[in-house]
Amino acid sequence: MYWTEFLTVALIHLLAVASPGPDFAIVVRESVAHGRRAGTWTAFGVGTGIFVHVAYSLLGIGLIVSQSIMLFNALKWLAAAYLLYIGIKALRAKPSDPVAAEAALVAGERSSRGAFATGFVTNGLNPKATLFFLSLFTVVINPQTPLAVQAGYGVYLAFATAVWFCLVAMLFSQRRVRAGFARMGHWFDRLMGAVLVGLGVKLAFTELK
């Protein structure tokens, strides 16, 4: 009965998750810098962050946020500050010793908890995701659809997001790929830092429509 609605949700989500953004940038950076395990845990964190958006969408809080410029701006500036923080840290990266860089390919220093938290916070604080889920749960999904079914959509969205970014992590954590990036060393970190700073600045100027 709800298959048409579900397929619409899945298609819109696919288009949204495939477009580059903070989630993609942070998963790539963690995968290249710390390896597959860190990248995968970051992907899990991003996927789990989806539940934050699903929860307030089901509770109707997203509608409140969308109508309150003050609340939206608070969320927006918090997210922008976080992206700027991790971006500036990456911009300050210094050239590493070749031996240390090779060792890093074998054993990353990133903890699973730290990688997961990075992914979770990056997605959970993204106000663009807030607007996406608000639109999804008010325009695409019929308000008359049972909450249990809507919650099922949310579980799918979280699962699909995690799977997508796990694939991204697998690609960018391959030893050959990481070795190639390692040769560029701090320049890659600085590039990703610039991307994150740019996303943070863009996010800071996002307006509620």
Side-chain angles (χ1 to χ4, degrees):
M1 180 177 180
Y2 300 103
W3 278 109
T4 301
E5 185 176 73
F6 171 74
L7 290 176
T8 303
V9 169
L11 177 60
I12 293 175
H13 173 259
L14 177 63
L15 295 174
V17 78
S19 61
D23 297 335
F24 182 84
I26 204 65
V27 170
V28 169
R29 184 175 184 277
E30 291 289 322
S31 300
V32 171
H34 304 291
R36 180 166 299 177
R37 188 180 71 170
T40 301
W41 277 106
T42 304
F44 287 153
V46 170
T48 304
I50 295 295
F51 286 116
V52 174
H53 305 294
V54 172
Y56 62 61
S57 295
L58 293 178
L59 294 172
I61 298 175
L63 185 59
I64 297 174
V65 172
S66 72
Q67 299 300 318
S68 172
I69 295 178
M70 184 176 68
L71 287 177
F72 179 81
N73 283 338
L75 178 63
K76 177 183 71 175
W77 285 106
L78 185 61
Y82 178 73
L83 290 178
L84 288 171
Y85 168 71
I86 57 179
I88 290 173
K89 283 185 63 178
L91 280 173
R92 297 174 62 186
K94 298 179 180 180
S96 59
D97 178 70
V99 176
E102 178 63 25
L105 294 179
V106 179
E109 301 176 355
R110 188 64 151 161
S111 69
S112 299
R113 179 181 298 179
F116 179 88
T118 296
F120 181 84
V121 173
T122 299
N123 182 273
L125 290 180
N126 189 350
K128 288 189 175 181
T130 299
L131 297 179
F132 170 78
F133 277 89
L134 174 63
S135 300
L136 193 67
F137 278 85
T138 57
V139 178
V140 179
I141 298 175
N142 192 318
Q144 301 304 318
T145 299
L147 283 179
V149 176
Q150 294 188 42
Y153 293 162
V155 172
Y156 164 78
L157 293 172
F159 176 77
T161 299
V163 169
W164 167 260
F165 284 111
C166 278
L167 293 175
V168 172
M170 288 178 63
L171 172 63
F172 285 92
S173 63
Q174 292 185 40
R175 186 174 181 83
R176 182 177 299 180
V177 175
R178 293 184 69 203
F181 279 113
R183 286 195 292 271
M184 294 182 282
H186 61 292
W187 289 113
F188 171 73
D189 278 341
R190 291 176 180 178
L191 174 62
M192 294 308 297
V195 170
L196 291 168
V197 168
L199 288 169
V201 171
K202 183 179 179 181
L203 192 58
F205 288 98
T206 299
E207 295 184 359
L208 186 60
K209 297 180 180 180

